[in-house]
Amino acid sequence: MEIITRQTDGKPLTIIIEYPRLDPKTQKVIQRIRTLDYKVRGDNCGTIFQIPISDIYYMESVERKTFFYTKDEVYLTDKKLYELEELLKEAGIIRISKSCLICQIRFHKIHAAAWLYLGHLAYGMVFYPRTGTV
């Protein structure tokens, strides 16, 4: 396999894949690249947005509603968590609990935590984002 990259000003990102025959390995590469361009439809304060998967940090299901989170915003989506998991598995989205999916390239460490909040035991996940751009 040969990889050639070049910068072209004023043109959109274009990926050309040349292959002698379309085998399973090549199909997987093509599918993975297509998945990276996928957008998730989300509602934020009554406005619908198409958010690129590369901007999403994690997704969770709360009281039968599915939300996804970017660096600064929260969106409600009509997709179920299992649908997003299946659709985005090639983009590095993995399930870390029954109600949570994360974009694994966004974090270098995740751990469960418990704490006392207003006299009640609360629990959750602590995410440690990667530094730099992703």
Side-chain angles (χ1 to χ4, degrees):
M1 179 168 57
E2 181 181 4
I3 298 175
I4 300 170
T5 63
R6 66 176 172 237
Q7 182 176 347
T8 57
D9 295 329
K11 293 183 179 180
L13 174 64
T14 303
I15 298 171
I16 299 170
I17 300 171
E18 297 176 335
Y19 50 89
R21 85 184 158 84
L22 188 58
D23 59 12
K25 181 180 176 183
T26 305
Q27 289 175 329
K28 190 168 181 105
V29 168
I30 293 168
Q31 180 58 35
R32 205 168 261 197
I33 291 169
R34 283 189 176 136
T35 305
L36 294 174
D37 197 37
Y38 187 76
K39 293 179 174 60
V40 180
R41 185 173 182 262
D43 181 309
N44 182 300
C45 299
T47 305
I48 303 298
F49 296 92
Q50 295 287 334
I51 306 299
I53 190 64
S54 59
D55 291 349
I56 296 173
Y57 281 66
Y58 70 100
M59 305 167 185
E60 72 176 341
S61 184
V62 178
E63 297 179 1
R64 297 185 182 204
K65 293 182 181 176
T66 305
F67 299 90
F68 62 89
Y69 301 81
T70 62
K71 183 177 179 185
D72 300 314
E73 301 291 336
V74 178
Y75 299 88
L76 173 66
T77 182
D78 57 352
K79 298 247 187 243
K80 301 292 184 200
L81 212 55
Y82 71 88
E83 293 173 313
L84 291 166
E85 179 181 24
E86 182 62 30
L87 193 62
L88 302 172
K89 66 183 173 187
E90 295 296 329
I93 301 296
I94 60 170
R95 184 177 291 269
I96 61 168
S97 72
K98 182 179 177 182
S99 62
C100 187
L101 304 175
I102 66 159
C103 181
Q104 63 183 353
I105 63 170
R106 290 271 179 207
F107 303 101
H108 72 91
K109 183 172 145 184
I110 302 164
H111 75 266
W115 58 91
L116 213 53
Y117 179 73
L118 299 175
H120 298 282
L121 183 63
Y123 65 94
M125 303 297 272
V126 179
F127 300 99
Y128 297 90
R130 292 188 189 279
T131 55
T133 59
V134 177

